[in-house]
Amino acid sequence: MFMRFFTELRQARVPVTLKEYLMLMEGLDKGVIDRSVDDFYYLSRAALVKDEKNIDKFDQVFGHVFKGLERVEDGITADIPAEWLKKISEKFLTEEEKAQIEAMGGFDKLMEALAERLKEQKERHEGGNKAIGTGGTSPFGTHGYHPEGIRIGQEKGRHGKAIKVWDKREYKNLDDQVELGTRNIKVALRRLRKWVRDGAAEELDMDGTIRGTAEKGYLDIHMRPERRNKISVLIFFDIGGSMDSHIKVCEELFSAARAEFKNMEFYYFHNCLYEAVWKDNRRRHAEKIPTWDVLHKFPHDYKVIFVGDATMSPYEITYPGGSVEHWNEEAGAIWLDRVSQIYEHVVWLNPTAERHWDYTPSIGVIKQLVNDRMFPLTLDGLEKAMKELAR
């Protein structure tokens, strides 16, 4: 059974190794958990999953391999109040099914029958037409059929007792194949970290205090600076035009970046970088900031991120006066080249799906200007971009 679990995880492309599997078996052999499915789930997840993005795949495989091992708990009637069932029925049952329930004597009779059968039944039951179990035609249970039945432990539960954690799949938005969200953007951005201790010594150094006390024979308190992420980030957001359809994902990226990088600056531009940028889109024409001032203000150790779909006329990049909004004295390509010359670490995040890039010539031009360091704005693309910036 456990070998099947291991092989199906491999087939689902969860990178588990034989060493991790043997570690899990050793833990079971030494009895580090109680013999319950829930405890085994948490132990196996801790032993076999090394990256958050694989938790969803792990949950799917676990639910598939070990489905049906859970039991109906005592006192489950407390999770299924009659009033709640009546409200649910109004939304999901057809008129014919409601009539069949009334023919039995209504919900009150149905609930009385459920209470009697819970008292009578002492073990798990599968199939059949009376007992509470799975796959049968009894009015009570799960994964079966009965028009006037009560579903127990199949999809939802008020207190989380009627559904297992691997069915909830609380980490499903961490899968690198799904749409981005603020939560999993933060997970990807955390890969860009460089911890240092500088500033005032305000944090207790426990190891230093213990070592100093042992050496001197009296209490010798040591303090140290708080650990901080030294990475500084400069982000340029393309705004307006074709980027309007990507507002949501850009907002999520901005929110996650503000939370992860304490030393972050941002500016807006339209289509391509020119001689001016801005901080407030409502006053973009009145309060522009010269791009030269930005490049002179932030030192070369800043990590630079451009966010834009790079979708425009190639003339907007390569020719003076190519901008659709104003007359630019210098081509946008010159300004992008200046950024690359000043800052060693520059990436471009493109919210357009990567499979469409070859159909837009301007994307190819921008990609070349940033030395092929353009990545799709997906979880996988963000991870690759962060690895590039962390070099």
Side-chain angles (χ1 to χ4, degrees):
M1 176 175 63
F2 293 130
M3 278 304 299
R4 177 194 169 201
F5 179 41
F6 177 73
T7 55
E8 290 205 17
L9 285 173
R10 296 290 295 269
Q11 291 171 3
R13 297 188 177 182
V14 178
V16 293
T17 65
L18 185 59
K19 180 179 180 181
E20 293 159 349
Y21 174 74
L22 292 176
M23 181 175 64
L24 173 62
M25 294 300 101
E26 182 181 2
L28 291 175
D29 185 55
K30 292 184 177 180
V32 298
I33 59 170
D34 293 332
R35 295 188 178 278
S36 71
V37 182
D38 281 349
D39 286 353
F40 175 69
Y41 164 78
Y42 286 114
L43 176 64
S44 58
R45 194 179 80 179
L48 302 177
V49 180
K50 301 183 290 293
D51 195 312
E52 300 97 329
K53 70 182 182 183
N54 294 314
I55 292 180
D56 180 51
K57 297 174 186 175
F58 174 87
D59 286 353
Q60 293 182 62
V61 173
F62 193 98
H64 170 67
V65 174
F66 299 105
K67 196 71 173 180
L69 293 184
E70 65 270 20
R71 294 176 179 271
V72 176
E73 298 181 7
D74 294 336
I76 196 170
T77 50
D79 283 333
I80 316 175
E83 188 63 30
W84 184 80
L85 287 171
K86 289 179 181 179
K87 292 181 180 179
I88 291 294
S89 71
E90 294 173 1
K91 185 175 182 181
F92 292 106
L93 296 183
T94 65
E95 293 300 324
E96 181 181 355
E97 289 170 339
K98 291 177 184 178
Q100 289 177 322
I101 290 176
E102 292 302 323
M104 283 188 64
F107 271 97
D108 293 336
K109 291 292 183 181
L110 191 64
M111 293 302 297
E112 290 176 9
L114 172 61
E116 288 298 322
R117 294 192 191 179
L118 280 172
K119 292 178 182 178
E120 296 172 4
Q121 185 173 330
K122 302 301 181 182
E123 60 183 14
R124 184 175 186 272
H125 186 81
E126 189 164 344
N129 58 10
K130 179 181 179 182
I132 302 166
T134 60
T137 56
S138 162
F140 316 106
T142 176
H143 296 110
Y145 173 75
H146 195 288
E148 64 267 24
I150 297 175
R151 185 181 68 199
I152 298 177
Q154 183 172 329
E155 293 294 338
K156 301 289 183 183
R158 288 193 308 129
H159 302 297
K161 293 181 179 179
I163 180 170
K164 297 303 179 183
V165 288
W166 55 88
D167 283 334
K168 288 183 181 178
R169 291 171 57 198
E170 294 177 341
Y171 292 86
K172 61 185 176 181
N173 65 331
L174 289 176
D175 193 330
D176 61 358
Q177 302 300 317
V178 300
E179 184 179 354
L180 282 169
T182 302
R183 179 186 180 189
N184 47 0
I185 290 176
K186 287 182 179 180
V187 172
L189 294 181
R190 284 171 192 163
R191 301 184 183 279
L192 185 59
R193 283 181 172 179
K194 184 178 180 181
W195 296 110
V196 296
R197 294 188 183 276
D198 54 13
E202 299 176 345
E203 179 181 279
L204 176 65
D205 183 357
M206 183 62 70
D207 292 338
T209 299
I210 294 173
R211 184 169 54 252
T213 301
E215 291 174 351
K216 297 180 179 179
Y218 57 85
L219 182 60
D220 182 25
I221 296 178
H222 286 239
M223 304 296 289
R224 64 185 179 184
E226 183 182 356
R227 193 175 72 152
R228 294 183 174 89
N229 185 8
K230 190 180 180 181
I231 295 296
S232 300
V233 178
L234 180 58
I235 304 183
F236 294 94
F237 287 95
D238 183 6
I239 198 75
S242 57
M243 283 296 293
D244 286 348
S245 58
H246 305 296
I247 287 177
K248 182 176 182 294
V249 69
C250 288
E251 287 178 340
E252 291 172 344
L253 175 63
F254 180 71
S255 175
R258 288 292 292 268
E260 291 301 317
F261 303 120
K262 301 305 179 185
N263 194 14
M264 186 197 86
E265 291 290 340
F266 70 94
Y267 296 92
Y268 296 109
F269 68 97
H270 180 60
N271 282 357
C272 190
L273 185 68
Y274 297 115
E275 70 278 358
V277 291
W278 55 93
K279 299 278 286 186
D280 187 347
N281 285 297
R282 292 170 297 182
R283 300 184 60 80
R284 55 183 295 188
H285 298 293
E287 297 181 357
K288 287 190 175 181
I289 303 168
T291 305
W292 267 127
D293 290 354
V294 175
L295 302 184
H296 287 150
K297 180 178 180 180
F298 301 104
H300 68 279
D301 61 344
Y302 267 68
K303 313 291 186 179
V304 178
I305 302 174
F306 285 94
V307 182
D309 59 6
T311 301
M312 67 199 90
S313 167
Y315 294 104
E316 295 183 57
I317 309 170
T318 57
Y319 280 82
S323 172
V324 296
E325 291 193 326
H326 72 290
W327 177 267
N328 53 299
E329 296 291 341
E330 295 179 300
I334 294 177
W335 286 103
L336 289 175
D337 182 65
R338 286 170 178 159
V339 172
S340 297
Q341 293 296 325
I342 295 172
Y343 301 98
E344 180 181 358
H345 301 286
V346 180
V347 298
W348 188 293
L349 298 176
N350 194 330
T352 303
E354 190 172 6
R355 64 182 179 273
H356 300 309
W357 289 4
D358 292 339
Y359 300 103
T360 306
S362 60
I363 293 180
V365 176
I366 293 290
K367 186 178 179 181
Q368 184 178 1
L369 288 169
V370 295
N371 300 314
D372 288 329
R373 290 176 291 189
M374 179 180 286
F375 302 92
L377 191 46
T378 62
L379 185 56
D380 184 54
L382 269 174
E383 289 182 349
K384 292 177 179 178
M386 295 306 105
K387 287 181 181 178
E388 176 65 34
L389 291 175
R391 285 185 180 182

